[in-house]
Amino acid sequence: MKDFKARVEDFKKKFDKALAGAKDGKSLQELRNTYLSRKKGVVKSLLEELKAFKPEEKSKAGKMLNTLKNHVQKKLETAQKKFTAPETIEKKIDLTLPGEKKYWGAPHPVVLFQQKIENIFISMGFSIEEGPEIETDYYNFEALNFPPHHPARDDWDTLYLSDDLLLRTHTSPVQIRAMENRKPPIRIIVPGRVYRRETPDPTHLPMFYQVEGLVVDKGITFAHLKGTLEYFLKTLFYEKLKIRFRPSFFPFTEPSAEVDIECLVCRGEDDKCRVCKGTGWKEILGSGMVDPQVLKNVNIDPEKYSGFAFGMGIERTAMFAFQIPDMRYFFENDLRFIRQFTLK
Amino acid sequence: MIISLEWLKDFIDVDLPPSALIDKLDMIGLMVEEWKEKGSDIILDIETYANRPDTLGHLGVAREIAAALGLKLKQQEWPLAEIEEKTSELCDVQIWDPDLCPRYCGIVVKGVKVGPSPEWLRKKIEIMGLKSINNVVDVTNYVLFATSQPIHAFDLAKLAGRKIIIRRAKQGEAIKTLEEEDVSLSPDMLVIADEEKPVAIAGVIGGLESSVQEETQDIFIESAYFNPISVRKTSKKIGISTDASYRFERNADISFPPRAALMAASLMTQFGGKVSRGITDVYPKPAKERTVVLRNQRVFDLLGVEIDAKFSEKTLSNLGFQVESQRKDVWKVQVPHHRVDVEREADLIEEIARFYGYDKIPVHFPPLRVPEPPLDQRREKIDRSRQILFNHGFDEALNFSFSSPEKEAQFETGRSAIEIRNPISSNASLLRTTLMGGLLDNIAWNMNRGADGVHFFEVGNIYFKNKMKSQEQLTLSLVTTGLVGPPHWHRKSEKTDFFRLKGTLESLMEYLNYEPYSFKEEPHTLFEKESALALVVKKDTIGYFGLLKKSLLDAYSLDEPVWAAELNLDALFGKPSQAFQYSPVTKFPTVTRDVSFIADGNVSFQDIQEVVGKLSLPYLGSFDLYDRFSGPSIPKGKVSLSLRFVFSHPKRTLKTEEIDKIQKKIISALGASFNFQLREGGRIDK
Ligand SMILES: [Zn+2]
């Protein structure tokens, strides 16, 4: 056994010496054969000797052999690296090589823009409400003061599922549901999918996203509507943005107002501007004071409470903000389109 | 509504430069969408609203401008060359249904020479985008665009029995319209009939037979008020919409028909006509005057600005309202008949605001008296999920909610799709019962445009009938195919596979704190056999994922395999996620033990997990599979598995012997359960 140990150590020294003298890959290969060959290598022949040992000695000797084997393997590996293709070991790493970036998924621009809008309103103390996309005629129209058979309904061209069920044409039904479920004060925005019976073209889609807002409390005035929407638009676009409110009509608000912002393309300087048709203005929001009949419909006394509501299309606003010429791009889900917005 | 500035001058003397006038119109709510010069005239395209039929004529727009500029409307005279015969003698008018026709006026013009219109009339008709037909028809259109009151001209000779009867159509009656279209009528429709048959569909379109032709000599002019709902229903039912029906269904000015009739008659005298004496005016129940009480205080309450009471009074009077002071700061306001939109105090306040100027209303911020409830957990979870998926390299898609019968047949979701009754196309006649259709479209779209790999997720509703009720279900779907990330010199291009998708879902469940969860092998219609797993949380299946069926890939012409997942987020988020609990971090070193086995190739990792789990090993922090391979160095039918166990103790350093003991336990348990062989040299202490 002692003899065995000495021999193992001797082999180790011999190996180290031989390795130090090795000059190329070929001599390394020879060394590997001498020591590790499965048929006649040094390690193999020593292993044969173990058979004669007593069990307790066997395990000790085995460990010794294992150590030798590991030593030889490790050293050979290290040496190998030195000899194989020494020209690839460069003095200096090419630091101009491109780094390895991680592929992050990109949010959809509509969601991105929606969240941008939501965050501004959250900062003004609004909360977010949602509601069903499949609605009844009552919530989508009647409760919002659209009488049956009134031509006002033509502006909200509707996809029907049955006599009474439809795909909501705006997120306004959620206003009604919120006012039924809660007592004022109410200060909410309602984002979501809405539907219109429109054939897709660059400025129309049968489905798009909307954000609506509703504030109901004692003493809410048109001045509050202006204050809220001006703050919102200036935050969304920029501080010096020109904004105007002009009279309009929605069945569920009275007085009603359309909100225009200055044309971001020509700033009112181009009579032939295609974006604003030379008017210098671009319609961005519909709004108004909640119609007293709408308040009555949800058992809120219009003599005690008042409110304002507003709504905007998300794609339309994003199109205007980024000068995107075609609304259909949003739902093609072309990666070259979607991934542009990651950093916006 | 097309408005000619020159035509406006018939009603009002306005001499503002066009740009100033346009600004003014915008700011009182008559938005000029476009305008162009035409000779010496300027043509405006004004946006009008469904509640303001009075602005569908030049007179109405002139009224608004007059109020805005403090001008008076010109009084128009309509001289008549009269004859002795009375209108009532020439034609007998009877209203049989006064609900649908509350007022009907008529007058006869005899001896008209029907022919081309004079220059002035033809020009006006052409400005409105119509083709000049003849002087009589052009006059009716002229009156409509001038005053917004539709009128109709009949050839008196063709009215059987010289009778006009306003009645409901009889079952089986039909009419050929001016546009030579045959329309069958039903009793819910109001018609103008002579003694024998219908001669016009009331408020919608005239009949061909009774229309004015070149040989016509005597004309019966109709100027009426029809029930707006009735006109709308009829117009929708027969699918014919005209300039007349457009105005009637918005509710016309019930006080106006006599004036319009006289105007038309007077104009026709220019073509040699002579007018019958005394207009026929059948108006059985004259409309009541509408009055609305207006309180000055409410003006302030609603607008948030103090407006001088005198200004309010003056604005309303300028618009034709009769304002009567009841007591201090309270008025009784009588609404003119042409303002069908004004019924309540708020409507009057809007009038005041419009002319006061929205721009002069101050800008305030609404005080926040009571805070709103905090953000809903569900929304937070959705957003967290999105972040996890971005991090795993999935891009976000949004697709239309529509589907088609073909698509639904391909996916066989087993859900009953909801039909759209009036779809835009048969490709979008259903609502989607899976998000997969849109996402496969998206893969095809991007692959066809040179993408090497597409990895999308979508969060959105699917829709289906559930026990006759329509249901919306928030769903998350993922698809992954092709290369992961663009090729790069620093690493090998990697193709996506099942385990990348599975790992993404595992991350999702872990970061959303939905542990424990498990997977169950289960066949599913979307996926290839033996290639799908169900994701189970608290005994409920939340969704499925796996390798998409070949037939689906073929349907979308996709060559590369696609792995996909669809999860029911309503079901998932309906379950409480695990509450977060802080656990102290041990100050003592952890001990890692790696163990490698040779195992039968068919042993499942889940079984190993179970066996290890049952051992309830003390101090075990984590346990993972970190290597798995088979090949020439491993016996046939076997695999090499390398497991890593990490141990720690909160209060002390673990002793080697302790861990040795545990490790033995693991080895013997796995050995006993699966006949595992410890791999030679596969045991390394760290
Ligand atoms: Zn512009």
Side-chain angles (χ1 to χ4, degrees), chain B residues 335-635:
Chain B
V335 181
H337 287 288
H338 64 266
R339 291 304 301 271
V340 294
D341 61 311
V342 176
E343 287 174 335
R344 296 97 29 102
E345 193 177 36
D347 303 328
L348 291 173
I349 294 172
E350 179 173 64
E351 295 306 295
I352 295 163
R354 278 201 304 137
F355 289 91
Y356 179 75
Y358 281 11
D359 52 334
K360 281 193 258 163
I361 295 174
V363 172
H364 292 153
F365 194 76
L368 184 63
R369 294 195 302 128
V370 179
E372 283 288 310
L375 208 61
D376 164 28
Q377 282 252 317
R378 196 176 115 109
R379 288 185 58 86
E380 246 171 66
K381 282 179 184 164
I382 292 173
D383 204 47
R384 195 161 170 71
S385 307
R386 294 174 64 247
Q387 301 309 323
I388 296 164
L389 297 171
F390 294 147
N391 199 333
H392 282 75
F394 283 83
D395 293 296
E396 185 170 29
L398 290 178
N399 284 290
F400 290 127
S401 312
F402 308 112
S403 181
S404 66
E406 296 75 53
K407 277 197 169 174
E408 289 304 311
Q410 281 161 5
F411 289 105
E412 302 175 277
T413 60
R415 300 184 186 106
S416 158
I418 296 170
E419 268 175 69
I420 297 172
R421 199 185 261 189
N422 56 338
I424 17 168
S425 81
S426 58
N427 289 332
S429 62
L430 300 176
L431 292 178
R432 62 184 182 186
T433 66
T434 169
L435 302 186
M436 221 40 84
L439 290 172
L440 289 183
D441 278 335
N442 303 152
I443 291 180
W445 175 282
N446 283 289
M447 287 304 222
N448 290 341
R449 284 160 184 78
D452 296 320
V454 180
H455 319 279
F456 266 130
F457 76 89
E458 178 169 3
V459 179
N461 280 330
I462 59 170
Y463 315 80
F464 51 89
K465 275 177 265 179
N466 188 7
K467 293 179 192 134
M468 297 306 288
K469 278 196 160 169
S470 41
Q471 193 177 329
E472 297 169 34
Q473 181 179 298
L474 189 68
T475 302
L476 164 67
S477 291
L478 293 91
V479 288
T480 177
T481 187
L483 290 186
V484 180
H488 195 269
W489 69 275
H490 197 238
R491 54 158 170 73
K492 265 205 204 134
S493 285
E494 201 188 318
K495 278 201 168 183
T496 189
D497 66 9
F498 179 84
F499 293 101
R500 180 161 176 270
L501 179 61
K502 187 179 183 190
T504 305
L505 295 175
E506 285 167 336
S507 292
L508 191 69
M509 300 309 285
E510 279 161 35
Y511 285 107
L512 290 174
N513 288 321
Y514 278 113
E515 287 178 293
Y517 58 88
S518 62
F519 298 112
K520 201 167 70 185
E521 210 171 312
E522 218 175 282
H524 188 275
T525 49
L526 283 177
F527 306 111
E528 285 290 336
K529 261 188 209 148
E530 297 182 346
S531 304
L533 289 181
L535 171 61
V536 180
V537 178
K538 297 212 168 118
K539 291 186 184 148
D540 286 335
T541 298
I542 295 301
Y544 293 88
F545 63 101
L547 176 64
L548 275 189
K549 248 185 347 200
K550 181 80 171 40
S551 62
L552 284 175
L553 303 188
D554 291 344
Y556 287 80
S557 310
L558 300 173
D559 305 327
E560 293 267 339
V562 177
W563 288 270
E566 192 146 275
L567 308 187
N568 177 350
L569 289 187
D570 280 338
L572 180 64
F573 296 161
K575 297 184 181 299
S577 50
Q578 219 174 42
F580 170 74
Q581 238 186 334
Y582 164 75
S583 53
V585 176
T586 177
K587 290 192 198 83
F588 302 93
T590 57
V591 180
T592 302
R593 289 289 167 95
D594 292 344
V595 186
S596 295
F597 293 99
I598 302 287
D600 283 347
N602 61 6
V603 65
S604 87
F605 184 67
Q606 196 155 332
D607 294 340
I608 299 173
Q609 271 178 315
E610 260 170 42
V611 168
V612 173
K614 274 193 195 132
L615 292 175
S616 311
L617 302 170
Y619 325 131
L620 180 64
S622 69
F623 142 63
D624 269 308
L625 177 72
Y626 74 91
D627 197 14
R628 183 186 191 278
F629 68 94
S630 53
S633 60
I634 305 292

Side-chain angles (χ1 to χ4, degrees), chain A residues 262-270 272-281 320:
Chain A
E262 65 183 301
C263 177
L264 302 180
V265 175
C266 73
R267 313 251 161 163
E269 305 282 317
D270 180 5
K272 287 177 191 74
C273 175
R274 282 209 343 228
V275 173
C276 64
K277 291 179 185 161
T279 61
W281 295 102
F320 188 49

Side-chain angles (χ1 to χ4, degrees), chain B residues 50-331:
Chain B
N51 67 334
R52 290 295 305 276
D54 60 306
T55 59
L56 296 171
H58 283 76
L59 171 63
V61 173
R63 274 196 206 110
E64 293 274 307
I65 296 171
L69 302 177
L71 301 172
K72 281 249 166 332
L73 286 180
K74 289 185 194 171
Q75 283 302 317
Q76 286 185 308
E77 295 296 325
W78 300 109
L80 298 175
E82 286 192 341
I83 49 175
E84 279 306 307
E85 285 161 292
K86 281 189 188 163
T87 308
S88 54
E89 285 162 4
L90 292 169
C91 186
D92 177 30
V93 175
Q94 300 175 19
I95 297 178
W96 288 6
D97 196 324
D99 288 338
L100 300 192
C101 177
R103 188 172 199 178
Y104 194 99
C105 297
I107 197 162
V108 172
V109 186
K110 286 186 96 171
V112 175
K113 210 172 153 333
V114 178
S117 288
E119 174 75 6
W120 71 267
L121 181 55
R122 195 177 49 76
K123 254 174 75 181
K124 287 212 158 50
I125 294 306
E126 282 169 1
I127 281 169
M128 300 312 298
L130 298 182
K131 246 177 69 188
S132 170
I133 294 171
N134 60 45
N135 47 13
V136 172
V137 174
D138 287 359
V139 161
T140 61
N141 283 325
Y142 172 82
V143 173
L144 180 143
F145 292 120
T147 70
S148 79
Q149 169 69 46
I151 57 173
H152 186 67
F154 293 100
D155 183 339
L156 182 64
K158 296 200 185 124
L159 296 176
R162 296 287 193 275
K163 269 196 159 85
I164 285 282
I165 298 166
I166 303 102
R167 61 163 169 87
R168 285 167 183 263
K170 290 173 198 157
Q171 197 64 52
E173 278 183 327
I175 189 170
K176 192 188 267 298
T177 70
L178 281 170
E179 303 288 329
E180 304 194 24
E181 216 179 312
D182 289 305
V183 175
S184 40
L185 304 165
S186 55
D188 52 337
M189 300 173 182
L190 190 73
V191 295
I192 315 299
D194 59 16
E195 210 172 49
E196 292 163 2
K197 60 192 178 308
V199 292
I201 304 170
V204 183
I205 194 162
L208 183 65
E209 219 189 299
S210 60
S211 67
V212 175
Q213 303 292 337
E214 235 170 284
E215 69 277 7
T216 302
Q217 297 210 333
D218 303 338
I219 285 159
F220 178 83
I221 296 171
E222 161 195 298
S223 178
Y225 173 95
F226 298 111
N227 177 305
I229 293 175
S230 160
V231 172
R232 181 171 167 84
K233 280 184 167 171
T234 302
S235 154
K236 288 241 157 188
K237 194 164 175 184
I238 64 177
I240 297 175
S241 176
T242 57
D243 284 321
S245 69
Y246 189 82
R247 283 159 179 78
F248 282 125
E249 66 181 17
R250 279 162 175 71
N251 205 355
D253 176 358
I254 200 167
S255 72
F256 205 75
R259 267 182 73 191
L262 290 178
M263 182 175 173
S266 170
L267 288 165
M268 285 182 205
T269 59
Q270 294 186 16
F271 321 128
K274 293 252 164 42
V275 182
S276 59
R277 220 150 42 81
I279 192 166
T280 295
D281 184 0
V282 187
Y283 191 16
K285 265 191 255 164
K288 284 196 189 110
E289 297 300 337
R290 233 174 316 139
T291 56
V292 179
V293 172
L294 174 66
R295 296 160 291 176
N296 196 31
Q297 177 62 35
R298 289 297 289 175
V299 178
F300 174 77
D301 287 348
L302 213 55
L303 301 180
V305 63
E306 203 87 57
I307 293 179
D308 186 6
K310 283 205 187 86
F311 176 87
S312 302
E313 246 175 83
K314 201 175 129 243
T315 300
L316 292 174
S317 322
N318 286 349
L319 283 165
F321 294 84
Q322 286 179 37
V323 186
E324 188 189 308
S325 184
Q326 274 203 321
R327 52 178 192 274
K328 191 174 156 29
D329 288 338
V330 178
W331 300 283

Side-chain angles (χ1 to χ4, degrees), chain A residues 25-121:
Chain A
K26 201 181 156 210
S27 41
L28 283 188
Q29 191 54 46
E30 278 163 13
L31 256 180
R32 183 184 299 275
N33 283 340
T34 314
Y35 282 82
L36 298 178
S37 164
R38 290 206 176 187
K39 281 182 186 149
K40 50 187 177 30
V42 170
V43 174
K44 171 74 181 172
S45 57
L46 286 173
L47 197 65
E48 292 291 316
E49 291 176 28
L50 286 190
K51 286 177 186 162
F53 285 17
K54 286 187 214 122
E56 61 269 29
E57 286 175 343
K58 211 185 218 173
S59 121
K60 271 190 192 165
K63 266 189 189 164
M64 275 181 231
L65 254 186
N66 225 359
T67 315
L68 174 68
K69 183 181 160 195
N70 286 342
H71 176 80
V72 170
Q73 271 175 340
K74 221 176 196 171
K75 290 277 178 182
L76 279 172
E77 250 170 59
T78 317
Q80 188 81 35
K81 277 182 193 154
K82 215 159 64 187
F83 288 120
T84 43
E87 56 278 358
T88 63
I89 299 172
E90 294 158 24
K91 281 195 205 100
K92 182 177 171 298
I93 302 161
D94 178 4
L95 299 178
T96 67
L97 284 169
E100 191 180 338
K101 288 177 282 187
K102 183 165 169 65
Y103 184 97
W104 274 71
H108 192 280
V110 168
V111 182
L112 206 70
F113 216 71
Q114 177 183 321
Q115 290 186 334
K116 212 167 158 172
I117 293 167
E118 285 172 1
N119 288 338
I120 299 171
F121 283 106

Side-chain angles (χ1 to χ4, degrees), chain A residues 99-300:
Chain A
E100 191 180 338
K101 288 177 282 187
K102 183 165 169 65
Y103 184 97
W104 274 71
H108 192 280
V110 168
V111 182
L112 206 70
F113 216 71
Q114 177 183 321
Q115 290 186 334
K116 212 167 158 172
I117 293 167
E118 285 172 1
N119 288 338
I120 299 171
F121 283 106
I122 288 169
S123 80
M124 289 191 271
F126 282 70
S127 70
I128 300 175
E129 288 271 351
E130 286 174 306
E133 293 170 35
I134 297 174
E135 266 295 1
T136 60
D137 187 86
Y138 177 77
Y139 282 103
N140 195 73
F141 287 125
E142 260 195 84
L144 288 159
N145 200 31
F146 286 81
H149 308 294
H150 195 275
R153 291 186 176 214
D154 290 351
D155 298 335
W156 282 260
D157 215 347
T158 310
L159 288 167
Y160 283 94
L161 305 178
S162 70
D163 281 346
D164 186 47
L165 283 183
L166 46 82
L167 291 171
R168 66 178 179 194
T169 58
H170 40 198
T171 54
S172 317
V174 185
Q175 295 181 13
I176 301 295
R177 291 178 181 276
M179 287 190 284
E180 282 179 346
N181 294 335
R182 290 172 53 182
K183 291 265 152 290
I186 293 170
R187 189 183 287 231
I188 57 169
I189 54 163
V190 185
R193 286 182 173 213
V194 300
Y195 301 84
R196 302 276 167 90
R197 195 174 184 282
E198 306 251 26
T199 310
D201 72 23
T203 53
H204 298 90
L205 288 180
M207 186 204 94
F208 55 96
Y209 281 75
Q210 216 180 37
V211 177
E212 291 217 351
L214 173 74
V215 173
V216 181
D217 199 356
K218 287 175 178 153
I220 295 296
T221 71
F222 197 96
H224 293 137
L225 178 158
K226 281 185 74 176
T228 304
L229 295 183
E230 281 203 7
Y231 174 82
F232 162 67
L233 288 171
K234 288 181 172 181
T235 312
L236 186 67
F237 292 98
Y238 49 91
E239 179 55 37
K240 295 232 153 62
L241 183 76
K242 275 195 235 153
I243 300 167
R244 71 172 189 182
F245 292 76
R246 59 180 167 79
S248 185
F249 165 68
F250 304 104
F252 38 98
T253 52
E254 190 76 27
S256 301
E258 207 93 54
V259 188
D260 296 338
I261 61 173
E262 65 183 301
C263 177
L264 302 180
V265 175
C266 73
R267 313 251 161 163
E269 305 282 317
D270 180 5
D271 281 352
K272 287 177 191 74
C273 175
R274 282 209 343 228
V275 173
C276 64
K277 291 179 185 161
T279 61
W281 295 102
K282 191 82 188 162
E283 198 179 300
I284 201 101
L285 276 158
S287 66
M289 302 303 293
V290 180
D291 192 284
Q293 188 57 48
V294 172
L295 293 175
K296 278 185 201 159
N297 291 346
V298 292
N299 292 317
I300 292 176

